[in-house]
Amino acid sequence: EVDKMVLKERPNVRFEDVGGLTVVKEELATVVLALKNPGIFTRGGTHPPRGVLLYGEPGVGKTLVAKALAREADADIYVVRIGDVLHSLYGKTERVIQSVFDRANENGACVIYIDEFDALASHRDKSNEVTSRIVSVLLTNMDGLEERGKNIIVVGATNRLDAIDTALLRPGRFDLTIEVPLPTEPERADIFSIHMKKANVIADSQLFEDEFDMSALARRSNHFSGADIAEVIRRTLVKRVRAISEGKDPGHVKVQDVIEQVERHREFLEKRKQSGSTGQYI
Ligand code: ATP
């Protein structure tokens, strides 16, 4: 059951594959150090961080940067989708969390990533017996890490910092709280170029025309998250694949092809905002 719910991975993304998020990566560099060499903190007269809380809007790269953190530290990552666990294993959830720690304890350095952390740690749920039992399993395990000399970091991610019980944010718990913001204009250019390079690597050829005007893309994609940008590039390439399947020679991708998808995606985002829906367009 745990294997179905909790994905263990040795990620292959590095900090350089995460666009923008300079401050986030700087802060996480300390966590890399804690995973690689926890003793250095003790020698420095302090404690390594044990819990990190990443907060920001959906799609800004919280999961991506947590995977890159693990990769930079040569560590495994356990991704716990707590919403799914709560939903399907209601009542057994704390055992799932305990067994993740048991497995992590048998391992070398690792990151335990808990998505939708607010579902677990909401102060509005204080009366909820299940969630408070899970939180206590989490905290008991985190408390013991230092004495056991374990280099395990728990990373919680949420879109709703306001919903997190402040008791969890005390020193020695999730004491490193990092905002993961929407990308700025130059950061969006950076994210576009990361996803274009990734596509070139997959295709093993240069798909995009020379002298691609990244700044035009960055300007037009105001308020887009990294996930929105990845989706725009994916849609541009899917359109190109369709042309190939119809026997046409699509040539290189032009900046105008991407702009077309940026505009389409913007309309979709606006419609979604108006309707309050979270659905996907087809
Ligand atoms: P959620 O809150 O919905 O779980 P999230 O913040 O964890 O979202 P991710 O799952 O990390 O977001 O992002 C989804 C995808 O969007 C990533 O796999 C990646 O392709 C792309 N992406 C997001 N942010 C970035 C970024 N800063 N640089 C490059 N790609 C990004």
Side-chain angles (χ1 to χ4, degrees):
E1 271 169 324
V2 176
D3 286 341
K4 272 187 251 151
M5 295 285 151
V6 181
L7 211 66
K8 181 184 169 193
E9 253 187 78
R10 173 60 60 109
N12 59 2
V13 280
R14 308 204 74 116
F15 279 158
E16 67 188 29
D17 303 311
V18 182
L21 305 188
T22 315
V23 177
V24 178
K25 289 189 263 185
E26 265 166 30
E27 295 235 34
L28 289 180
T30 316
V31 182
V32 173
L33 201 60
L35 282 165
K36 283 186 128 169
N37 190 358
I40 204 171
F41 285 82
T42 327
R43 287 201 297 283
T46 181
H47 310 275
R50 283 287 156 237
V52 180
L53 188 64
L54 299 176
Y55 72 96
E57 291 189 29
V60 286
K62 298 184 290 296
T63 314
L64 188 69
V65 84
K67 287 185 178 176
L69 156 72
R71 176 69 188 88
E72 295 290 341
D74 288 324
D76 289 327
I77 186 167
Y78 290 85
V79 178
V80 186
R81 304 221 175 272
I82 200 68
D84 293 351
V85 179
L86 277 170
H87 189 69
S88 50
L89 292 176
Y90 197 78
K92 289 193 221 160
T93 322
E94 70 264 35
R95 271 194 269 153
V96 174
I97 301 289
Q98 185 57 56
S99 56
V100 173
F101 274 97
D102 292 344
R103 283 163 193 223
N105 274 315
E106 289 161 13
N107 247 303
C110 77
V111 173
I112 299 177
Y113 180 79
I114 305 180
D115 206 3
E116 295 177 55
F117 194 64
D118 48 282
L120 185 72
S122 162
H123 47 72
R124 279 173 207 108
D125 281 347
K126 241 183 182 157
S127 55
N128 184 328
E129 217 188 294
V130 176
T131 48
S132 44
R133 274 209 308 268
I134 302 166
V135 169
S136 87
V137 169
L138 200 61
L139 293 179
T140 312
N141 278 284
M142 285 170 75
D143 284 346
L145 290 175
E146 218 167 306
E147 295 97 77
R148 297 200 301 275
K150 288 291 173 189
N151 33 359
I152 299 173
I153 296 276
V154 184
V155 178
T158 180
N159 309 323
R160 303 184 45 217
L161 184 64
D162 62 311
I164 306 292
D165 190 335
T166 46
L168 279 171
L169 306 177
R170 281 196 211 122
R173 296 178 169 182
F174 289 83
D175 47 1
L176 195 57
T177 302
I178 307 175
E179 182 184 5
V180 187
L182 275 172
T184 60
E185 192 173 312
E187 288 172 343
R188 291 196 297 275
D190 192 19
I191 299 174
F192 269 110
S193 96
I194 285 174
H195 284 278
M196 286 161 55
K197 276 193 201 128
K198 209 162 116 185
N200 286 338
V201 170
I202 294 172
D204 194 22
S205 72
Q206 174 61 39
L207 298 172
F208 300 85
E209 68 179 355
D210 289 341
E211 308 199 7
F212 215 81
D213 185 3
M214 304 304 288
S215 60
L217 296 178
R219 242 187 351 265
R220 285 163 191 261
S221 53
N222 204 11
H223 299 306
F224 278 31
S225 66
D228 291 323
I229 293 172
E231 180 64 5
V232 162
I233 294 295
R234 194 187 69 79
R235 286 187 166 271
T236 310
L237 296 172
V238 166
K239 200 171 167 202
R240 190 170 178 277
V241 168
R242 253 184 255 131
I244 297 171
S245 77
E246 288 161 8
K248 296 177 195 151
D249 173 12
H252 284 119
V253 179
K254 298 181 190 58
V255 74
Q256 198 49 44
D257 299 331
V258 185
I259 288 176
E260 205 179 285
Q261 296 302 327
V262 167
E263 297 306 336
R264 213 176 150 216
H265 194 70
R266 170 184 308 294
E267 277 169 31
F268 162 71
L269 292 177
E270 273 159 19
K271 269 194 208 139
R272 191 175 68 177
K273 203 166 144 197
Q274 278 162 16
S275 69
S277 120
T278 53
Q280 291 285 314
Y281 60 96
I282 44 164

